[in-house]
């Protein structure tokens, strides 16, 4: 899967079925080359200008399913 395809998917939290946003960036382990975390933003570009912190940083182990249109995660909010 390409990163451009991953960015198009909405991230949904399994706990409350809320849309967290879309994948904005990835964090890799330098040694293994594996994805450690996905960084999700809600898509509000104006908020990003005033706040450099992403909306959610989700560990890869919390991803339950990557489907054709959505990514389902299980995080406590």
């Amino acid at each position: 899967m390409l990163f451009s395809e991953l960015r198009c998917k909405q991230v949904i939290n399994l706990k409350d079925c809320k849309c967290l946003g879309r994948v904005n960036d990835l964090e890799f382990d330098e040694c293994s080359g594996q994805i450690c975390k996905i960084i999700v933003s809600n898509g509000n570009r104006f908020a990003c200008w005033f706040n450099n912190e992403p909306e959610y940083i989700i560990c890869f182990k919390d991803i339950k399913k990557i489907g054709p249109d959505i990514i389902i995660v299980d995080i406590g909010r």
Side-chain angles (χ1 to χ4, degrees), residues 10-60:
Q10 289 188 348
V11 179
I12 307 293
N13 188 7
L14 187 63
K15 296 266 188 215
D16 58 8
C17 298
K18 298 231 176 168
C19 179
L20 303 178
R22 296 185 188 271
V23 176
N24 189 38
D25 208 350
L26 302 172
E27 182 178 311
F28 288 90
D29 180 294
E30 294 177 15
C31 297
S32 68
Q34 294 181 338
I35 298 171
C36 299
K37 299 175 184 171
I38 62 172
I39 300 170
V40 177
S41 67
N42 65 1
N44 187 347
R45 293 181 186 163
F46 295 111
C48 293
W49 288 347
F50 300 111
N51 185 3
N52 290 336
E53 293 296 317
E55 290 290 319
Y56 301 97
I57 299 176
I58 301 169
C59 291
F60 195 76

